[in-house]
Amino acid sequence: MVAERSELGLASARPDGDPTPRRRPKNRKVQIVRVAARAFAERGYHPVGVDEIAAEVGISGPALYRHFKNKYALLVAAAEMGAQQLLDAARAADDPKLEAEPRLTKLIRGIADYTNEVRREGGLYRWERRYLEREDRDRIRVMYVALHETVAVPIRELRPDADPVDVTLLTAAVLSAIGSITHHRTALSTTRLCALLDDICWSILRTELPPAPPPATGDPILRGLPVISKREQLLTEAIRIFGRQGYHEASIEEIGAAAGINASSVYRYFSSKADLLAAAFNRTGERVAIGNAEALSEATSRADAAVRIADRFARMTFAMPEILPVYFSEFSNLPASEQHRLRSIQRQNVLEWANLLDGDQVEARFRVQAAIGQVIDVGRRIHFDGRPENLARVRALMQAVLLGVEEKS
């Protein structure tokens, strides 16, 4: 289904018994923040302890508290530094004196270079921001709005006749494609990676988006009937609650209440909260595998099959938009054996999709991950409004990422 965040924990940066005295580096605070950002991004905010971060830096817990009063302060600092440095990288690469195309080329390269440099911690804000208090989240979001506008300006110049809504969507799609490399650990040299991201981004920028739907009025139209199975209701409500407030903040009592039963009754269906989480991931993996098989059976070509998979994946995600963020942010809460089994299933689903694309298979896997990113990030931008026109626009962006778009003469 999706790529994995790293399963590696923290390893001490200072060998045991090393007698060599160490001077405190001038950038100690920055070093602590970088280590914390990487740990939170790879394993999630809650599972990581302050003592682990301190050990990785090579200091004691009390020494770390001289810089940060608690773990939350570390999360804020890590998210803020990541946003500011990404914005700084974009502004440093931007050259308003250039025409739109070379300006965008420099911007894409600058953002891609920085994102690749911080690849292991680059997804922190994306997946852990719900743990930030509203005031901190809003302050950090201002930087991402500024980043978005930095990229949007030359896109408007490149496509002066484009609807402002389309420019917003294309900007989100470009940034999503670059940011998708933080989702997985597939190896590719820096030179090849930057060239691939450049190609993907320009395919996005050349995409002719289908018309947007009219502004929504009134309450959204609800489609489908609710299931009566309590087990299915529990799975659905658990993912919604995990997505809204995080796995560690959710309780069995709350999940049971959302499904209309008490906590003790939940245990008739699932042995633990982790069992609920694993079952939800398993169910999603099964649905993706079924969707892949259906797409293959209906397709007239390999490219057609890749687009059909994209369409099914988008529709499935829009129907339950919390599932992918929950996967990326909460996967480390599963037992190691369950992580390994699920990761194998999800890798197989990605490979099934990537094998339909021409060219190098490593690059094909990158394209699949970037296509998955379009569903998440563009979906968020349009609030996962699942009207057919919106799904067609997301599908067009995914197709561009997977198959490319030829430059018009």
Side-chain angles (χ1 to χ4, degrees), residues 34-204:
R34 287 292 299 272
V35 169
R38 183 173 300 174
F40 294 150
E42 291 182 337
R43 296 172 55 203
Y45 172 63
H46 275 285
V48 176
V50 170
D51 288 341
E52 296 176 81
I53 295 169
E56 173 74 3
V57 177
I59 61 177
S60 66
L64 187 148
Y65 284 117
R66 287 199 292 268
H67 297 281
F68 299 96
K69 64 180 181 180
N70 53 34
K71 189 169 78 167
Y72 178 75
L74 263 174
L75 175 65
V76 173
E80 194 164 22
M81 186 179 78
Q84 186 62 62
Q85 290 185 346
L86 181 58
L87 177 58
D88 290 345
R91 286 174 169 169
D94 190 24
D95 187 350
K97 297 177 182 178
L98 296 175
E99 293 183 1
E101 189 161 337
R103 184 179 178 184
L104 276 166
T105 298
K106 286 194 66 177
L107 257 175
I108 291 167
R109 181 58 186 263
I111 297 171
D113 282 345
Y114 173 77
T115 303
N116 190 40
E117 180 184 334
V118 298
R119 187 173 175 182
R120 290 177 62 185
E121 62 256 37
L124 171 63
Y125 182 78
R126 201 177 196 189
W127 310 123
E128 304 300 312
R129 63 186 174 195
R130 67 177 171 278
Y131 294 117
L132 292 167
E133 295 175 4
R134 174 61 66 93
E135 182 180 353
D136 295 321
R137 188 166 62 246
D138 289 348
R139 187 182 67 258
I140 293 168
R141 185 176 178 273
V142 169
M143 302 180 206
Y144 285 105
V145 170
L147 171 68
H148 188 279
E149 183 60 18
T150 300
V151 178
V153 169
I155 293 179
R156 292 190 198 103
E157 296 173 0
L158 181 75
R159 300 184 59 164
D161 297 328
D163 188 290
V165 173
D166 288 359
V167 172
T168 296
L169 216 61
L170 292 171
T171 305
V174 166
L175 290 171
S176 173
I178 298 171
S180 69
I181 66 173
T182 66
H183 305 172
H184 58 100
R185 301 289 171 258
T186 308
L188 203 63
S189 71
T190 300
T191 300
R192 287 179 63 194
L193 175 59
C194 288
L196 177 61
L197 288 176
D198 184 75
D199 182 69
I200 290 173
C201 289
W202 277 103
S203 293
I204 290 169

Side-chain angles (χ1 to χ4, degrees), residues 9 13-14 35 40 58 62 96 116 123 182 241 271 283 285 293 310 334-335 375 382:
R14 184 175 183 176
V35 169
F40 294 150
N116 190 40
T182 66
I241 292 170
S271 62
R283 175 60 51 83
L334 296 175
V375 182
I382 58 178

Side-chain angles (χ1 to χ4, degrees), residues 160-326:
D161 297 328
D163 188 290
V165 173
D166 288 359
V167 172
T168 296
L169 216 61
L170 292 171
T171 305
V174 166
L175 290 171
S176 173
I178 298 171
S180 69
I181 66 173
T182 66
H183 305 172
H184 58 100
R185 301 289 171 258
T186 308
L188 203 63
S189 71
T190 300
T191 300
R192 287 179 63 194
L193 175 59
C194 288
L196 177 61
L197 288 176
D198 184 75
D199 182 69
I200 290 173
C201 289
W202 277 103
S203 293
I204 290 169
L205 292 170
R206 296 183 186 113
T207 301
E208 293 299 331
L209 293 170
T217 57
D219 295 330
I221 298 173
L222 300 178
R223 292 182 173 86
L225 298 176
V227 296
I228 61 172
S229 163
K230 282 298 178 187
R231 188 177 191 279
E232 293 302 314
Q233 288 179 26
L234 286 167
L235 282 173
T236 299
E237 296 302 333
I239 288 300
R240 286 174 177 162
I241 292 170
F242 294 156
R244 185 171 62 246
Q245 61 199 53
Y247 175 83
H248 286 272
E249 300 295 330
S251 68
I252 288 291
E253 289 79 8
E254 186 177 7
I255 294 168
I261 60 177
N262 58 34
S264 60
S265 296
V266 176
Y267 292 109
R268 288 161 45 191
Y269 301 94
F270 300 97
S271 62
S272 65
K273 195 164 65 169
D275 188 29
L276 253 173
L277 186 65
F281 290 158
N282 272 302
R283 175 60 51 83
T284 303
E286 291 166 2
R287 287 175 177 169
V288 171
I290 291 170
N292 289 357
E294 290 175 347
L296 290 168
S297 68
E298 297 169 0
T300 57
S301 67
R302 294 167 69 235
D304 180 48
V307 175
R308 287 176 182 271
I309 289 175
D311 179 63
R312 282 171 165 79
F313 190 88
R315 285 190 281 114
M316 183 197 74
T317 305
F318 271 56
M320 177 57 77
E322 299 88 355
I323 188 64
L324 291 184
V326 168

